[in-house]
Amino acid sequence: TEGKNRNARRDVPLPPMAAQLLAETIRRNHKARFGTPWVFCNYVGGPSAQYMLRKEWLKLKEERGIPGTLYSLRHTFVSIVSSQTHLAEGTIRELVGHSQSMDTFGTYKHAVKGELASAADVINLTFERLRDAK
């Protein structure tokens, strides 16, 4: 689509794992006799309409054992990338197509399983170092 604003259309470099998953999905489409570059395509291999995208997503989701919705994957992505990498909020905001005024972390970041336990370990190690430095 054209997107709802200028941030919606952007080039995003894909990590190798994502590129591999997309290539596998496109190969799956080719096996279904669709000579198409689209990940989610219509019955003749063209770009998908919203209802077709949902149908294809549900099929792919079941194939790969992926929980949640396409939209929830945005939340998961922001949560994992913000808690497990050292990327700046501005970089993450740009990756997901948010403007500078958007509170990306406030809207999308949620606790990742085990994150609080890891935080407790980091805090504990910090205080142990401070105690032992005396």
Side-chain angles (χ1 to χ4, degrees):
T1 68
E2 289 300 314
K4 61 183 180 181
N5 60 42
R6 64 186 165 145
N7 297 320
R9 295 192 65 91
R10 63 204 175 279
D11 291 325
V12 177
L14 291 176
M17 180 187 292
Q20 179 184 351
L21 287 170
L22 288 173
E24 287 171 12
T25 303
I26 291 168
R27 278 194 297 278
R28 177 185 63 107
N29 291 345
H30 280 280
K31 286 181 183 176
R33 294 185 283 289
F34 297 132
T36 180
W38 294 95
V39 174
F40 297 110
C41 57
N42 62 22
Y43 292 118
V44 294
S48 184
Q50 189 72 31
Y51 76 95
M52 286 292 297
L53 183 134
R54 179 169 168 28
K55 181 179 175 185
E56 288 299 308
W57 162 248
L58 293 174
K59 191 185 324 177
L60 185 63
K61 175 181 159 169
E62 185 176 328
E63 262 178 37
R64 302 250 169 96
I66 303 169
T69 65
L70 274 174
Y71 187 73
S72 71
L73 290 179
R74 286 176 62 83
H75 289 260
T76 302
F77 176 81
V78 170
S79 295
I80 290 173
V81 169
S82 63
S83 69
Q84 304 296 315
T85 70
H86 296 290
L87 294 176
E89 182 176 1
T91 302
I92 295 170
R93 185 183 299 120
E94 190 173 336
L95 285 171
V96 296
H98 288 169
S99 65
Q100 288 186 352
S101 62
M102 173 73 175
D103 181 12
T104 300
F105 287 175
T107 302
Y108 283 83
K109 187 177 185 306
H110 306 287
V112 174
K113 186 176 181 178
E115 187 176 22
L116 292 177
S118 294
D121 290 342
V122 169
I123 291 167
N124 190 62
L125 286 171
T126 301
F127 280 96
E128 283 179 353
R129 271 198 315 269
L130 289 170
R131 179 195 64 206
D132 295 344
K134 289 183 177 183

